[in-house]
Amino acid sequence: MISLQRILLLRREERWPVFCGGLAGFLVLGAYYLLKPLRDEVFVGDRAVGAELWTGTFLLAVALHPIYGMLAARVRRERVLPILYRTSALLLIGLYWLLRAAPEPEAVGAWQATPGSFWSGRWVAGEQGWQLLEGSRIWLERSFYVAVSVFNLYLISALWSALIERFEGLSARRLFGLLAAGGSLGAIVGSTVVTVAFASWGSGPFLLLAAGCLELSLHALGWAGARRPQPPMRGGAFEGLGLVLRHPRLRWLGAYILLFTLGSTWLYFLTADLLDAQLPIKEDRVRFFAGVHLATNVLTLALQVGLAGRLMSARGLVPGLVLLPLISLVGFSVLAFAPMLSVLFLFNVLRASSRYALAKPAREALYVGLPARDVYKAKNLLDTALYRGGDLVSGWAFQGASLLLVTGGAALTLLVVPMMAASVGVAVKLGRGADEAQGS
């Protein structure tokens, strides 16, 4: 009889560290997916200023990068994660109390003859003119959207930096799928909780639950095995940019991430437009997003446990990196001519599951064997500032293309297809180069 240990390609001495590392991922991703459907609904409800929201997200990501760089340069590496996670937990608790104190959405202010400014709140058009629908509360929601969009990248990037150091060597390819599976299981639980409890709980309790999960994740990571105290890495706050520019593998990874963000942004905006047109009720949109996240993570978990480790060990990194752009290429082509909720749901699920189950572990395996500076500073730059920079450029490009292409959604959707074809070639180049360098 085949044991579970053989199915998972797991050695006896690896069981406890992998379990604890997976538990840390479970708690971090669980926290994120308690918040992600709420964040996504804010974007749909505030779709008219979507590009401005992404601009704010990029600016915050860029502003935080030198702060993170100084933190990594001045404190021991084992202290970076606790500082980052506990700061995020305190921000979530503070935002919870601010949202409780803010008035519920209601019509306030006098009718206006002209549209209101983006800076004054959310405005709606009526038969007699424009009315301010939400004032202070909408800025709290916008702040929530920006903060979650940025901090999830920092939290996940820092977690993987710590895991890469704990599971070095080619065994990382075998184990990263299992470690990522813990995160997927947490995302399933988080999405399920939102789906079941949102109607009765509202938004507030999820912020407190997420803060508690972040604190618990630090303890789980500690149980995975204590590292010897590591001295600060020194260097400048912006050192990550130089590291990326000097290393060929990191340059190709940067190109891969930029093309990936282009596809993600295009799909995100298309999803928001279709849901705004076909699901006008907020609760229906939250349930749609939670359903997508739940289906995504069930499929992701199955692939991570049954396929990811075997695929990377036997076939290298190319298959895991290339499947995501291939699905994007086909998905956008189909969605252009069949813009239905069922197609949108399936495309979101397949694209996201290939990202988390295969592309994400493969991307993290690219850092195996690189110096600690690359694993922390260069990785942080790629995962946050460059990632959100790609979002920013893509978001404004989508807004501009929407204004220029008045013929409809098909042309707008097909516009991104050539870029997805290019990302296939980048994925092959990146994967083959890493396989040769790591001797697989």
Side-chain angles (χ1 to χ4, degrees):
M1 186 175 181
I2 300 177
S3 66
L4 180 62
Q5 188 170 306
R6 289 189 61 188
I7 294 174
L8 300 180
L9 301 178
L10 195 61
R11 297 168 185 163
R12 182 179 297 275
E13 66 275 11
E14 296 169 339
R15 287 184 294 182
W16 178 248
V18 169
F19 171 79
C20 294
L23 178 60
F26 172 90
L27 291 163
V28 173
L29 269 293
Y32 176 48
Y33 276 86
L34 287 170
L35 305 176
K36 192 173 189 297
L38 311 178
R39 184 205 70 165
D40 292 343
E41 198 287 320
V42 169
F43 183 84
V44 176
D46 219 9
R47 177 64 183 85
V49 295
E52 286 86 348
L53 287 175
W54 284 47
T55 302
T57 300
F58 168 71
L59 293 176
L60 180 60
V62 171
L64 287 177
H65 177 69
I67 298 175
Y68 180 89
M70 287 189 291
L71 179 68
R74 287 166 171 74
V75 304
R76 297 195 304 270
R77 292 207 294 274
E78 63 271 17
R79 294 182 57 194
V80 171
L81 219 61
I83 292 173
L84 187 61
Y85 278 33
R86 286 171 179 150
T87 301
S88 301
L90 288 174
L91 288 174
L92 288 174
I93 294 170
L95 186 58
Y96 165 77
W97 288 109
L98 288 173
L99 286 170
R100 277 177 59 91
E104 289 296 323
E106 59 181 354
V108 294
W111 288 95
Q112 304 291 324
T114 56
S117 165
F118 165 78
W119 304 107
S120 60
R122 180 184 294 162
W123 292 71
V124 293
E127 293 180 358
Q128 304 174 39
W130 288 81
Q131 186 181 30
L132 180 64
L133 178 65
E134 294 177 276
S136 61
R137 186 180 180 88
I138 185 58
W139 278 103
L140 287 175
E141 293 182 355
R142 288 169 175 170
S143 299
F144 168 77
Y145 179 91
V146 170
V148 172
S149 298
V150 172
F151 275 93
N152 84 86
L153 296 179
Y154 276 87
L155 299 179
I156 295 171
S157 177
L159 174 65
W160 273 103
S161 294
L163 292 174
I164 289 168
E165 283 203 311
R166 281 172 167 81
F167 299 93
E168 291 180 316
L170 289 179
S171 62
R173 296 191 176 195
R174 179 170 47 82
L175 300 177
F176 276 5
L178 294 178
L179 293 169
S184 297
L185 190 57
I188 291 171
V189 173
S191 301
T192 303
V193 171
V194 175
T195 303
V196 172
F198 178 77
S200 57
W201 287 10
S203 303
F206 298 115
L207 277 68
L208 298 181
L209 279 175
C213 287
L214 292 180
E215 176 62 30
L216 290 174
S217 69
L218 294 173
H219 298 282
L221 192 61
W223 300 333
R227 292 175 298 168
R228 291 179 300 173
Q230 300 287 341
M233 285 178 284
R234 308 299 177 189
F238 296 94
E239 188 179 11
L241 178 60
L243 294 171
V244 170
L245 294 177
R246 287 196 296 269
H247 200 296
R249 191 191 312 173
L250 297 179
R251 290 200 300 269
W252 279 106
L253 179 55
Y256 181 84
I257 290 173
L258 286 174
L259 290 168
F260 161 75
T261 58
L262 175 64
S264 295
T265 302
W266 229 256
L267 181 58
Y268 195 70
F269 276 71
L270 289 171
T271 298
D273 289 345
L274 286 172
L275 291 187
D276 188 43
Q278 301 184 38
L279 293 177
I281 300 174
K282 174 178 179 177
E283 286 75 12
D284 291 338
R285 297 195 296 263
V286 171
R287 280 193 288 269
F288 178 90
F289 283 123
V292 167
H293 301 329
L294 178 59
T296 293
N297 287 293
V298 169
L299 179 57
T300 298
L301 181 62
L303 292 174
Q304 286 168 335
V305 172
L307 181 62
R310 284 179 167 79
L311 188 64
M312 288 196 293
S313 297
R315 302 293 181 185
L317 302 182
V318 173
L321 293 170
V322 83
L323 183 60
L324 174 59
L326 280 176
I327 289 176
S328 302
L329 181 63
V330 174
F332 281 115
S333 301
V334 174
L335 187 63
F337 301 103
M340 301 178 292
L341 285 180
S342 57
V343 174
L344 186 68
F345 186 95
L346 184 62
F347 183 21
N348 272 281
V349 168
L350 291 178
R351 189 176 190 276
S353 59
S354 66
R355 171 192 175 187
Y356 295 121
L358 300 173
K360 178 64 174 175
R363 273 176 49 187
E364 302 303 339
L366 292 169
Y367 293 97
V368 172
L370 296 181
R373 290 178 183 273
D374 293 338
V375 174
Y376 279 84
K377 293 189 174 184
K379 175 176 166 54
N380 177 263
L381 177 78
L382 292 170
D383 288 350
T384 58
L386 183 69
Y387 187 104
R388 287 308 179 201
D391 283 343
L392 174 66
V393 174
S394 304
W396 282 106
F398 185 94
Q399 295 287 81
S402 299
L403 295 174
L404 293 174
L405 296 175
V406 295
T407 55
L412 185 62
T413 306
L414 289 173
L415 196 61
V416 76
V417 169
M419 297 298 181
M420 297 302 97
S423 67
V424 174
V426 171
V428 173
K429 174 69 175 179
L430 177 62
R432 285 179 178 173
D435 288 338
E436 291 173 1
Q438 294 174 350
S440 61

